[in-house]
Amino acid sequence: MNNNMKISPSLFAADIFDLKSQIEILERNKVDLLHIDVMDGNFVSRMAFGAEHIQMIKKHTEIPLDVHLMVKHPERHISDILEAGADIITVHQESTTCLYHCLEMIRKKGRMAGVVLSPATSVQNIKYVLSLIDMVLIMTVNPGEKNQVFLFDMINKIKEVSELLENKNIDIEVDGSIDDKTAILCQSAGANIFVSGGYIFNNDIEQQIIKLQHALKIKNKI
């Protein structure tokens, strides 16, 4: 388990017409990652960023891109996402029968690979791929749905994953209704990477990042 705390703002919540200036604010505040959701309207009902968008974002920032694939058959998309510049790719365990293959594709290109666990997905499903992953992403809401609230049952799931990953240098990322309060609960359970969208982008971006850093006791890097 990795104890290096990181914040990964979710660009799905950003203002697409003002994305460049918002990324510049994130850069000034030294955020660790940029979280990019790729949704196909199939695995989840909504649609979002594709390889072309990732490529454009990559040209304008040096912040590592943390790409979350919410697509069916991710093995069909991974090569394009890698070529576009993703630094980390996380794949839903439920989205493919070729999980090993997906993770191997990512790792062979020297990028970081992870598995995503939706709320109802058992932790035991990652037990046999630990040698191939750098991250476990635990969804604290149902993926790809609107207006959701934090699922407090996921705190125990984070603890379970943390115990499974003991003595392994594998990140635990959480995504879904993460704010300065829910982040503390997730951190206490063992999470170290915090994806936050609306909490950051629907307010003063810089102030929200500082509040989140303060809550997580992350030294302000400005």
Side-chain angles (χ1 to χ4, degrees), residues 81-131:
I81 299 296
L82 287 167
E83 188 175 342
D87 297 283
I88 305 166
I89 299 178
T90 52
V91 177
H92 276 263
Q93 184 274 327
E94 319 92 339
S95 69
T96 179
T97 58
C98 310
L99 185 59
Y100 259 85
H101 176 57
C102 290
L103 298 173
E104 287 174 338
M105 288 175 70
I106 300 165
R107 293 289 290 269
K108 283 179 180 177
K109 291 295 184 179
R111 315 293 172 81
M112 296 177 70
V115 177
V116 189
L117 297 178
S118 292
T121 305
S122 171
V123 171
Q124 293 306 309
N125 287 333
I126 64 171
K127 185 175 180 180
Y128 297 105
V129 295
L130 296 181
S131 63

Side-chain angles (χ1 to χ4, degrees), residues 1-214:
M1 184 180 67
N2 196 325
N3 292 315
N4 185 16
M5 300 295 143
K6 298 179 180 180
I7 294 173
S8 185
S10 178
L11 296 187
F12 185 64
D15 182 349
I16 197 71
F17 291 106
D18 198 26
L19 187 56
K20 187 174 185 295
S21 65
Q22 292 189 336
I23 289 176
E24 288 171 355
I25 295 171
L26 300 177
E27 288 175 330
R28 288 200 301 270
N29 285 272
K30 308 294 183 183
V31 301
D32 305 280
L33 303 166
L34 292 180
H35 191 82
I36 302 177
D37 290 319
V38 176
M39 305 187 223
D40 63 357
N42 192 358
F43 180 69
V44 294
S45 60
R46 302 169 88 180
M47 299 180 71
F49 300 104
E52 296 83 1
H53 305 102
I54 293 168
Q55 186 175 40
M56 286 186 280
I57 293 167
K58 188 71 174 180
K59 288 178 181 178
H60 295 286
T61 185
E62 295 184 1
I63 303 174
L65 304 184
D66 168 23
V67 178
H68 174 191
L69 294 186
M70 286 185 267
V71 300
K72 277 195 174 181
H73 306 297
E75 60 274 10
R76 301 176 184 174
H77 304 277
I78 286 171
S79 292
D80 287 342
I81 299 296
L82 287 167
E83 188 175 342
D87 297 283
I88 305 166
I89 299 178
T90 52
V91 177
H92 276 263
Q93 184 274 327
E94 319 92 339
S95 69
T96 179
T97 58
C98 310
L99 185 59
Y100 259 85
H101 176 57
C102 290
L103 298 173
E104 287 174 338
M105 288 175 70
I106 300 165
R107 293 289 290 269
K108 283 179 180 177
K109 291 295 184 179
R111 315 293 172 81
M112 296 177 70
V115 177
V116 189
L117 297 178
S118 292
T121 305
S122 171
V123 171
Q124 293 306 309
N125 287 333
I126 64 171
K127 185 175 180 180
Y128 297 105
V129 295
L130 296 181
S131 63
L132 291 174
I133 63 174
D134 304 284
M135 175 189 289
V136 178
L137 169 52
I138 299 171
M139 295 301 300
T140 49
V141 299
N142 288 308
E145 296 181 12
K146 296 181 180 179
N147 303 320
Q148 295 193 76
V149 296
F150 184 87
L151 298 173
F152 288 92
D153 286 346
M154 294 304 103
I155 297 299
N156 285 331
K157 190 172 192 175
I158 297 166
K159 291 177 181 176
E160 189 178 348
V161 171
S162 181
E163 290 170 2
L164 181 64
L165 301 183
E166 189 176 8
N167 301 321
K168 293 180 173 61
N169 188 29
I170 297 176
D171 291 306
I172 299 177
E173 183 174 53
V174 288
D175 180 5
S177 295
I178 299 299
D179 56 27
D180 55 330
K181 297 177 178 62
T182 56
I184 295 172
L185 297 174
C186 294
Q187 182 186 46
S188 298
N192 72 295
I193 299 181
F194 306 86
V195 177
S196 185
Y199 173 78
I200 288 176
F201 289 103
N202 292 343
N203 297 282
D204 182 304
I205 295 173
E206 182 167 312
Q207 288 303 312
Q208 295 303 96
I209 292 170
I210 291 171
K211 283 171 65 176
L212 199 51
Q213 289 171 337
H214 178 74

